[in-house]
């Protein structure tokens, strides 16, 4: 079983202690990603004029948007993989059929 990791991260200028089964590097990467999203939103003049609770909702919406886009991309890529797997299986069947035909023709000539 994986050991629990605890690490201090800074998110939005505040320090938090995160713990979990993931590595310290992973927890830092997650915090860095979140800081990037916060910085992206803070660079928008209109965002800075919005009440704090609305800023949090906008941040959550941005994170959910990234999640859904990534999930849709995974589904799209999985579909491509399935199609390629089917094409590969079809080519293998064609190859076997051609090899059998070739072997049959060679027997007839022998």
């Amino acid at each position: 079983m994986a050991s629990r990791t605890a690490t201090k991260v800074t998110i939005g200028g505040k320090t938090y202690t995160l713990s979990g089964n993931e590595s310290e590097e992973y927890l830092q990467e997650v915090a860095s990603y979140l800081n990037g999203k916060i910085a992206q939103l803070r660079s928008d003049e209109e965002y800075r004029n919005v009440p704090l609770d609305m800023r949090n909702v906008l941040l959550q919406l941005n994170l959910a948007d990234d999640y859904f886009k990534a999930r849709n991309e995974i589904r799209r890529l999985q579909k491509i993989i399935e199609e390629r797997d089917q094409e590969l299986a079809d080519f293998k069947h064609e190859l076997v059929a051609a090899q059998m035909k070739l072997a049959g023709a060679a027997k007839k000539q022998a």
Side-chain angles (χ1 to χ4, degrees), residues 24-91:
E24 181 177 344
E25 293 80 18
Y26 176 79
L27 296 174
Q28 291 291 342
E29 183 179 5
V30 170
S32 177
Y33 173 77
L34 191 51
N35 280 321
K37 285 307 226 178
I38 292 168
Q40 181 183 16
L41 288 171
R42 283 184 177 164
S43 69
D44 185 340
E45 184 71 33
E46 291 178 27
Y47 176 80
R48 290 184 290 214
N49 297 324
V50 173
L52 182 59
D53 60 336
M54 185 61 154
R55 282 190 242 167
N56 288 332
V57 169
L58 291 172
L59 176 61
Q60 293 166 2
L61 285 170
N62 271 268
L63 295 172
D65 179 53
D66 287 351
Y67 167 77
F68 280 96
K69 285 178 180 173
R71 188 179 70 175
N72 288 339
E73 180 67 2
I74 288 168
R75 287 179 179 162
R76 185 186 73 79
L77 293 172
Q78 284 174 332
K79 185 176 179 183
I80 290 171
I81 289 170
E82 289 170 4
E83 290 169 355
R84 299 279 163 82
D85 284 348
Q86 185 59 51
E87 287 175 8
L88 182 59
D90 293 345
F91 287 142

